[in-house]
Amino acid sequence: MIAYLVNLATLIAIFGIAATSLNLLIGYAGIFSIAHAMFFGIGAYVAAQVALTFSADFLVAALAAAVAAAALSLCLALPALRVRGEYFVAASLGLQMMASTLFAEAHGFTGGVGGLVGIPPARILGFDVASPDAFLVLALACLALTLLAVRTLMRGSFGRSLMALRDSESAAEAFGKDVRALKTLAVVIGCFFVGIAGALFAFHMAFVNVESFTLEQSVVLMAMVIIGGAGTLTGPLVGVIALLSLPAALSFLPFIPSTQIGTVQQFIYGALMTLLMIFRPSGLVGLSRG
């Protein structure tokens, strides 16, 4: 039981970083991307390759993963940022579908459908962090640093400019804001942090394949942000805890067959998102604030 709770807490910390990074786009900049799992996957694959071929030092692998995810987000998203609203959602959907195909076909880098196996345990400056407890501390430290960085950014002029952009892109542009530069920076910073989450995920699972970085994963990340409360610091964490705890809670209900838990889980995700959009668009944290 303790091992299960430690594993759940580690996953909550990892997906907390991923959801916080997506919240930077959706909640603060008003950029609705459904390609975030693609950059999560890029971070995981890069960290796995670094660990398998060069060094299992987490700092090296995480830095490489974050830089690669941020750089590729710049190359791939910059043309898409020329469009607004639903057109950007459609563009990000196309990127996500393209990435899923590339992940499955690029055997030399991703291992294809079979994925990359045998990722060595993480180390930091020669110290072993392979045990579940040590890795949980590492994941929580990364989550704390991510939250601190996002909080600092959003309290500065950059954050205020992003929120102005979110509230009215035309008005922000009329007041002299460089809308394209702000959007690009938001995407790059968000993907930098999700690259770190991908590195943590690769070391934690010791195995990565395309199934973890599909369109469905992008939708789940978006659900975590919206259900918890977009545009708030703690909202995405609340959403992550709620959605990752749901499978465990369902498994204790004797009238739900174990083979149907996934279906019931997807139904609840969809129902929660629909009801929150109708009755409480600000999410669970918004509800607690009244």
Side-chain angles (χ1 to χ4, degrees):
M1 187 63 179
I2 296 297
Y4 172 79
L5 291 177
V6 169
N7 178 60
L8 180 61
T10 304
L11 288 175
I12 286 173
I14 293 171
F15 281 93
I17 297 171
T20 299
S21 68
L22 181 59
N23 186 41
L24 193 67
L25 275 66
I26 294 178
Y28 293 112
I31 302 172
F32 280 81
S33 169
I34 51 175
H36 216 55
M38 174 178 72
F39 300 106
F40 184 52
I42 289 170
Y45 281 123
V46 169
Q49 286 288 359
V50 169
L52 287 168
T53 61
F54 177 65
S55 168
D57 190 300
F58 174 77
L59 297 179
V60 175
L63 181 61
V67 170
L72 284 175
S73 77
L74 188 64
C75 296
L76 298 175
L78 200 56
L81 288 173
R82 299 171 69 90
V83 296
R84 297 183 182 187
E86 65 272 23
Y87 298 104
F88 181 82
V89 174
S92 64
L93 173 62
L95 288 176
Q96 176 63 62
M97 294 174 68
M98 183 178 67
S100 297
T101 303
L102 287 175
F103 287 161
E105 298 299 329
H107 296 266
F109 181 70
T110 66
V113 177
L116 298 174
V117 298
I119 299 170
R123 301 177 65 83
I124 293 183
L125 303 176
F127 294 96
D128 192 358
V129 287
S131 72
D133 292 345
F135 199 82
L136 172 60
V137 171
L138 173 64
L140 289 173
C142 290
L143 174 62
L145 289 174
T146 301
L147 291 172
L148 179 63
V150 171
R151 181 174 178 269
T152 304
L153 281 172
M154 291 307 107
R155 289 195 170 189
S157 60
F158 175 68
R160 290 192 292 273
S161 297
L162 277 189
M163 286 181 268
L165 178 67
R166 175 196 62 193
D167 295 338
S168 174
E169 185 171 327
S170 299
E173 198 167 20
F175 277 95
K177 301 294 183 184
D178 190 337
V179 170
R180 192 175 300 175
L182 284 170
K183 281 184 172 181
T184 303
L185 272 176
V187 171
V188 169
I189 294 171
C191 290
F192 180 89
F193 287 120
V194 82
I196 295 173
L200 284 166
F201 184 77
F203 278 110
H204 179 61
M205 303 302 290
F207 163 76
V208 290
N209 77 346
V210 67
E211 295 297 325
S212 300
F213 316 117
T214 59
L215 175 62
E216 183 182 7
Q217 186 68 275
S218 282
V219 173
V220 169
L221 287 172
M222 180 178 283
M224 289 170 173
V225 174
I226 292 175
I227 290 172
T232 63
L233 192 65
T234 56
L237 278 181
V238 173
V240 168
I241 292 170
L243 294 196
L244 289 187
S245 302
L246 185 59
L250 292 176
S251 67
F252 285 103
L253 300 178
F255 53 86
I256 299 179
S258 59
T259 55
Q260 297 299 318
I261 287 178
T263 303
V264 176
Q265 178 182 325
Q266 294 299 323
F267 177 81
I268 294 176
Y269 285 175
L272 279 174
M273 287 186 68
T274 302
L275 291 173
L276 281 171
M277 285 298 94
I278 295 173
F279 298 107
R280 183 56 64 177
S282 55
L284 295 175
V285 170
L287 178 64
S288 67
R289 287 176 176 178

